[in-house]
Amino acid sequence: MTENAAQQPASNPELPTQYAPAEVEGKLYERWVERGYFTADAKSDKPPYTIVIPPPNVTGALHLGHAFQVTLMDALTRRKRMQGFETLWLPGMDHAGIATQNKVEQQLAEEGKSRQDLGREAFTERVWQWKDEYGGRILGQLKRLGAGLDWSRERFTMDEGLSRAVQTIFKKLYDDELIYRAERIINWCPRCLTAISDIEVDYQDDDGELVSLKYGEGDETVVVATTRVETMLGDTAVAVHPDDERYAHLVGRRIKLPLTDRTIPVVADTHVDPEFGTGAVKVTPAHDPNDFAIGRRHDLEFMTIMDERGVITVHGPFQGLDRFEARSAIVAAMREQGRVVAEKRPYVHSVGHCSRCKTTVEPRLSLQWWVKVETLAKAAGDAVRDGRVALHPKDMEKRYFDWVDNLNDWCISRQLWWGHRIPVWYGPNGEMVCVGPDDEAPTGEGWVQDEDVLDTWFSSGLWPFSTLGWPEETPDLEKFYSTDVLVTGHDIIFFWVVRMMMFGLYAMDGEVPFKTVALTGLVRDEFGKKMSKSNPNAVDPIDWMDAYGSDAVRFTLATGANPGADVPIGEDWVKASRNFANKIWNATRFALMNGATVEGELPPVEQLSATDRWILSRLNKTVAEVDAFYDDFQFAKLSDTLYHFAWDEVFDWYVELSKTTFFAGGEGAKVSGRVLGEVLDVMLRVLHPVVPFVTETLWTTLTGKETLVTADWPKDSGFRDDAAEQEIALVQQVVTEVRRFRSDQGLQPGQKVPAELVLTGTALAPHEAAIRQVLRLQPAGDGFHATASLPVAGATVALDLSGTIDVAAERKRLTKDLGAAEKEKAQAGAKLSNEAFLGKAPDNVVDKIRGRLAKAEADIERITNQLANLPQG
């Protein structure tokens, strides 16, 4: 085959000239699902590998955080499927109590209605309708991303089976006295009118005011400071430290609470920091978690001073005011009485807001249902300590233990209508009955079910086993529990991970819910800033998939995935990943049209060229490296390894160095064609879990086989050839040095130059034709005049640049550049030799000047060499 014929091949009917993701991805995914490639078989003899997807909210849409974690889970499961495991990646959604109820309430508000207008039953039906019509959009978006989920096992946290699981474990916990009902301080949202969990509280710095108030009279005066002045109406004590002599005479006495007709005691409590402020704090047990604890220790009165909407309910002048209106009114009233000692405004402090509606959260005493976590949390801690569950990266263990070892009882009741209703009935004479899924609920006059529903995290905490059929002993549960890996963000380790650990160990007789927790960071923009809808940096990954293809988005996310670390991502990086997909496409297409094949056995080693042996050695090393990185969840490193192997070693070096062999035809071309086919086969397999669409299309064309999804994962054959690697390293050194020289002389990459190569007696001799092909070096014909001679890697490359460049213009340009570099060196050197300057200048300034000096010296050396190598005359 001639060179021109190889470079301008006839069109290939099987592979278009350009890769068009939009024309490939949707059809491929439909085929994968239809043919059942992602469907797991519980009866299989293969070893199981299980991941359950962190269930996205039914209200959700795909964001980059979802796309990030889904990409990693998909890569893990695709590889394990290819390795011969019976792989189950189970999909589903969370009913997302508050978020979903808010969506439907907003819909009703547009109709001029409220949920109370409909009543509980009709409202719940309306939410189910909303779910069927609008919910689950994210699942379709996961398909768009290429997620290889077993859709035959899709679950929902309020489907019939999961509802049975929720009722079963509630009853079991209740019977074991691990669930109880009590008044405690909770996070309360005055807008959503419900208790909310810690994870549903967003803390942000707000501008508030810190007001110092004087309580008592005369020698019974105490000054306290607060940012929530309105809560003083509910104060039932002032607390001081037991060792604080300033207040020793007041401990045990009662002082006047301003604006009220009450007196309150002064109590001594070690919780108080005598060094902070005045050393005295107001105590509002019904409206502050720390004060609640003090109140219980000292048997104080618990006064609730505002209703569920944050409206003041006590003390005439302020009764009926919103909590913030009351704050201003009380400060004004205290100021009139001369009791405002100091005011700091603005006072920036952290304030909790409802993550759903952004309303300021109110700590509030409320009768709620609680899980007693002491024994459950200990079991969750022990499972990590004794190695049954591994946290990755390991340095996350400290954060995990800090949380689980200090876990407070968990408030599980929510004042909503959408969710799992608490299975407890109350009788007319104070009776209380907990009902399991197979129990008959009490009937008769006066019996009513608890109005509250369970926290969403209660049902999602059962996810690893409830989705497999628990409490029934199903084939899925027997085969696929416990799950292998949980991939989730480190930001919910405390909330979701710990709850699954507690419930899994409790319900499954000590068997862990997952063997490894692979913790990821958060996706951020290219400057490291958090992405937010309120900022212009928020990105819809669907837009990027539309523009660049799903593989490009996936590869970009995987490339940034260092364990536990945040992931910066920008559109330019997605474009680069798109270019990588195109490179794979174009290079594979070229290879297919030039004899790459997987037919037959690999030729014996003695028939292989050094270039062939080099790429096969590098191929096996790459497979081994990728396997090790997968086992250590090092997605960034494995992606980087694959990128450089494919782009640099296969396409930029092996294909280029082998072109002369392909162009020559004959037996050598057949051997290299089989080697290139082998390399492409293995390379596309190891790339597939991260970039499934482009690799599937290319691999099935290369091999003629049905799918790459269930193909065998490559194994390191153990073949190594260090001698060939060293030999090709010399070739690369020659090519790199000559390319650098050509660039320095201003030659275009494709510009041909006459050259003489003196390679005799070196390992480079067999590679002369390849070196000439890659470097565009013509034979040294008649009239050859060596104007530059480059000694490199034990060989000499002599070039004739006469006629290729304007020597006079180039000399003039380089001389000017040399003068500028020498001037820069002199200026930087003068400053660095000035002791007075060095004594005064900051370290960063001195370092910058040292860098300028080093660069100037390097430029001088480079330009001097370029001038020396210019043709004379």
Side-chain angles (χ1 to χ4, degrees):
M1 182 183 291
T2 66
E3 179 175 337
N4 287 337
Q7 291 180 336
Q8 296 176 351
S11 61
N12 188 319
E14 295 187 72
L15 285 178
T17 56
Q18 291 184 326
Y19 177 52
E23 297 176 12
V24 170
E25 294 175 350
K27 296 175 184 176
L28 263 187
Y29 191 86
E30 286 180 13
R31 189 172 76 194
W32 290 337
V33 174
E34 287 171 1
R35 297 187 179 182
Y37 297 148
F38 305 140
T39 304
D41 182 3
K43 298 178 181 178
S44 167
D45 293 332
K46 295 178 182 179
Y49 183 83
T50 315
I51 293 181
V52 290
I53 196 170
N57 286 355
V58 67
T59 60
L62 186 72
H63 57 64
L64 279 172
H66 290 130
F68 172 50
Q69 292 180 0
V70 166
T71 294
L72 305 190
M73 285 183 275
D74 196 36
L76 289 171
T77 52
R78 283 180 182 271
R79 172 175 175 257
K80 285 295 182 180
R81 190 179 292 113
M82 295 172 74
Q83 286 182 317
F85 287 79
E86 193 60 43
T87 302
L88 171 59
W89 185 20
L90 195 147
M93 293 183 297
D94 192 291
H95 64 278
I98 294 178
T100 309
Q101 180 158 315
N102 279 351
K103 287 280 188 183
V104 178
E105 287 197 79
Q106 290 167 12
Q107 218 176 45
L108 288 174
E110 293 172 2
E111 301 170 13
K113 300 176 183 177
S114 69
R115 61 179 164 123
Q116 286 77 14
D117 293 332
L118 270 65
R120 183 169 194 142
E121 185 175 342
F123 177 78
T124 303
E125 287 179 7
R126 179 73 177 258
V127 181
W128 277 107
Q129 291 171 10
W130 183 93
K131 184 259 181 189
D132 292 340
E133 185 173 355
Y134 300 105
R137 176 172 56 136
I138 191 172
L139 298 183
Q141 294 171 330
L142 295 180
K143 296 176 182 178
R144 175 73 188 279
L145 191 64
L149 291 150
D150 183 349
W151 296 106
S152 70
R153 287 176 166 87
E154 181 185 337
R155 302 306 299 269
F156 180 54
T157 49
M158 282 183 62
D159 67 29
E160 185 177 348
L162 267 68
S163 295
R164 180 176 178 81
V166 167
Q167 199 170 350
T168 298
I169 201 162
F170 187 100
K171 170 72 170 172
K172 180 174 170 61
L173 289 163
Y174 182 89
D175 289 345
D176 288 346
E177 298 183 351
L178 293 174
I179 280 184
Y180 64 95
R181 195 180 190 219
E183 278 195 319
R184 298 283 189 274
I185 294 287
I186 45 88
N187 301 308
W188 181 265
C189 176
R191 155 61 183 80
C192 298
L193 300 180
T194 181
I196 58 177
S197 66
D198 291 337
I199 199 172
E200 293 165 323
V201 179
D202 292 336
Y203 286 92
Q204 64 186 48
D205 288 340
D206 285 359
D207 286 344
E209 57 181 345
L210 180 66
V211 184
S212 297
L213 304 173
K214 182 170 64 177
Y215 285 11
E217 304 288 351
D219 64 352
E220 294 181 348
T221 296
V222 176
V223 175
V224 298
T226 180
T227 58
R228 299 165 65 216
V229 175
E230 67 281 5
T231 62
M232 67 151 294
L233 300 177
D235 285 357
T236 57
V238 169
V240 299
H241 194 275
D243 299 331
D244 194 335
E245 295 182 357
R246 292 173 296 175
Y247 302 111
H249 67 290
L250 289 179
V251 174
R253 297 171 64 177
R254 300 183 72 87
I255 62 174
K256 179 88 165 74
L257 180 65
L259 305 183
T260 72
D261 57 1
R262 295 189 292 115
T263 61
I264 57 176
V266 177
V267 299
D269 195 281
T270 55
H271 169 76
V272 179
D273 180 2
E275 302 299 322
F276 183 76
T278 64
V281 297
K282 59 191 288 300
V283 181
T284 320
H287 292 276
D288 182 273
N290 293 323
D291 294 0
F292 176 83
I294 294 175
R296 293 190 67 175
R297 285 195 291 272
H298 297 278
D299 197 24
L300 300 177
E301 183 181 359
F302 287 72
M303 284 188 62
T304 299
I305 62 158
M306 62 182 79
D307 66 14
E308 59 191 13
R309 298 182 183 276
V311 174
I312 302 299
T313 58
V314 298
H315 200 70
F318 310 108
Q319 190 168 358
L321 294 180
D322 171 81
R323 52 185 168 154
F324 301 118
E325 295 172 336
R327 181 176 299 174
S328 299
I330 291 172
V331 170
M334 293 287 277
R335 192 182 294 114
E336 283 183 12
Q337 293 187 8
R339 292 186 175 276
V340 176
V341 176
E343 295 178 76
K344 186 175 182 180
R345 187 185 300 112
Y347 179 73
V348 179
H349 62 131
S350 181
V351 178
H353 297 261
C354 175
S355 62
R356 302 300 175 191
C357 67
K358 311 308 176 187
T359 302
T360 300
V361 169
E362 189 66 37
R364 185 170 188 259
L365 184 65
S366 183
L367 181 63
Q368 302 283 348
W369 284 94
W370 303 79
V371 172
K372 191 182 297 183
V373 302
E374 183 179 2
T375 58
L376 301 174
K378 182 181 184 304
D382 290 346
V384 174
R385 286 189 169 94
D386 63 24
R388 283 175 290 155
V389 175
L391 263 58
H392 191 89
K394 190 174 177 62
D395 58 16
M396 286 288 179
E397 284 186 1
K398 183 180 184 302
R399 294 178 62 188
Y400 177 84
F401 292 136
D402 286 346
W403 179 263
V404 78
D405 293 345
N406 298 284
L407 200 60
N408 295 318
D409 285 358
W410 170 21
C411 176
I412 57 171
S413 46
R414 298 290 180 266
Q415 291 64 55
L416 304 171
W417 286 355
W418 172 245
H420 295 282
R421 195 165 175 181
I422 289 176
V424 172
W425 270 255
Y426 305 105
N429 300 310
E431 303 96 332
M432 187 165 66
V433 175
C434 181
V435 175
D438 298 320
D439 300 335
E440 289 289 334
T443 57
E445 188 176 350
W447 282 93
V448 294
Q449 186 177 357
D450 196 297
E451 291 288 326
D452 292 350
V453 300
L454 288 163
D455 178 12
T456 297
W457 295 99
F458 190 95
S459 51
S460 61
L462 314 181
W463 192 249
F465 53 94
S466 63
T467 52
L468 298 173
W470 187 91
E472 312 305 326
E473 295 180 3
T474 64
D476 276 3
L477 193 65
E478 182 179 357
K479 176 76 174 179
F480 296 112
Y481 189 88
S482 61
T483 68
D484 288 87
V485 181
L486 173 72
V487 178
T488 191
H490 63 65
D491 54 324
I492 59 172
I493 182 175
F494 314 124
F495 307 104
W496 190 46
V497 176
V498 170
R499 280 151 172 66
M500 286 190 289
M501 288 281 282
M502 292 192 302
F503 280 168
L505 291 162
Y506 173 74
M508 299 300 294
D509 298 322
E511 192 174 358
V512 296
F514 25 72
K515 302 175 185 72
T516 300
V517 181
L519 294 162
T520 69
L522 306 177
V523 177
R524 297 181 178 273
D525 71 12
E526 59 194 302
F527 305 107
K529 294 182 180 178
K530 183 178 180 181
M531 288 190 176
S532 170
K533 292 180 181 178
S534 59
N535 293 331
N537 66 350
V539 173
D540 184 345
I542 298 296
D543 292 341
W544 280 354
M545 284 188 266
D546 287 342
Y548 309 112
S550 298
D551 282 337
V553 174
R554 291 169 61 111
F555 192 76
T556 305
L557 290 165
T559 303
N562 291 296
D566 288 347
V567 183
I569 185 172
E571 187 166 6
D572 286 345
W573 303 344
V574 184
K575 290 179 182 177
S577 295
R578 183 269 317 273
N579 294 344
F580 179 51
N582 288 342
K583 181 76 171 180
I584 298 170
W585 182 274
N586 294 333
T588 303
R589 185 172 177 273
F590 169 86
L592 287 170
M593 290 187 290
N594 285 275
T597 181
V598 294
E599 293 181 7
E601 296 294 323
L602 270 175
V605 173
E606 57 268 19
Q607 293 183 20
L608 302 179
S609 69
T611 308
D612 294 333
R613 287 182 279 113
W614 163 72
I615 197 62
L616 290 174
S617 182
R618 288 297 308 132
L619 177 69
N620 280 282
K621 286 184 178 179
T622 298
V623 170
E625 289 172 9
V626 168
D627 274 333
F629 287 141
Y630 261 116
D631 292 340
D632 198 34
F633 303 99
Q634 297 280 359
F635 293 97
K637 291 182 179 179
L638 73 88
S639 299
D640 188 63
T641 297
L642 289 169
Y643 176 90
H644 287 293
F645 175 73
W647 193 305
D648 300 344
E649 297 184 293
V650 178
F651 301 140
D652 280 359
W653 284 110
Y654 181 74
V655 169
E656 290 299 317
L657 292 174
S658 299
K659 277 183 178 178
T660 51
T661 304
F662 286 124
F663 299 160
E667 198 61 34
K670 290 181 180 178
V671 170
S672 290
R674 181 63 188 90
V675 170
L676 181 53
E678 181 75 10
V679 171
L680 291 175
D681 176 14
V682 174
M683 183 195 75
L684 292 170
R685 290 175 197 244
V686 291
L687 275 166
H688 177 73
V690 181
V691 284
F693 292 109
V694 68
T695 52
E696 169 89 345
T697 306
L698 294 173
W699 188 84
T700 53
T701 302
L702 171 70
T703 65
K705 296 181 180 179
E706 179 181 314
T707 183
L708 185 47
V709 176
T710 55
D712 291 337
W713 180 256
K715 294 181 180 178
D716 173 13
S717 70
F719 177 78
R720 301 287 190 275
D721 193 324
D722 292 338
E725 291 197 39
Q726 292 170 8
E727 187 172 324
I728 299 305
L730 293 177
V731 174
Q732 291 173 323
Q733 186 179 348
V734 171
V735 171
T736 301
E737 288 295 323
V738 175
R739 277 178 173 166
R740 182 181 296 118
F741 176 77
R742 288 175 56 114
S743 176
D744 288 344
Q745 301 306 316
L747 297 178
Q748 296 300 314
Q751 190 171 350
K752 296 183 178 180
V753 178
E756 185 177 76
L757 275 63
V758 183
L759 308 177
T760 307
T762 72
L764 296 167
H767 302 282
E768 179 171 351
I771 292 172
R772 286 186 176 277
Q773 164 65 27
V774 172
L775 288 171
R776 305 294 189 268
L777 301 180
Q778 294 178 317
D782 294 340
F784 176 81
H785 175 61
T787 59
S789 182
L790 303 176
V792 56
T796 301
V797 179
L799 303 172
D800 183 356
L801 302 181
S802 56
T804 60
I805 59 174
D806 184 336
V807 175
E810 187 65 11
R811 188 178 300 279
K812 182 177 180 181
R813 181 184 71 81
L814 290 172
T815 301
K816 181 179 178 182
D817 291 347
L818 180 62
E822 289 173 337
K823 181 178 179 181
E824 175 72 359
K825 176 184 176 181
Q827 291 175 342
K831 285 190 175 182
L832 292 174
S833 62
N834 185 333
E835 295 296 333
F837 170 78
L838 293 175
K840 294 180 181 179
D843 290 345
N844 65 318
V845 173
V846 175
D847 289 342
K848 186 175 181 180
I849 293 173
R850 286 187 179 129
R852 285 170 48 193
L853 177 62
K855 182 179 183 302
E857 290 173 338
D859 287 345
I860 291 170
E861 181 180 1
R862 175 179 56 81
I863 297 168
T864 301
N865 288 335
Q866 288 177 243
L867 284 167
N869 284 307
L870 279 176
Q872 300 300 315

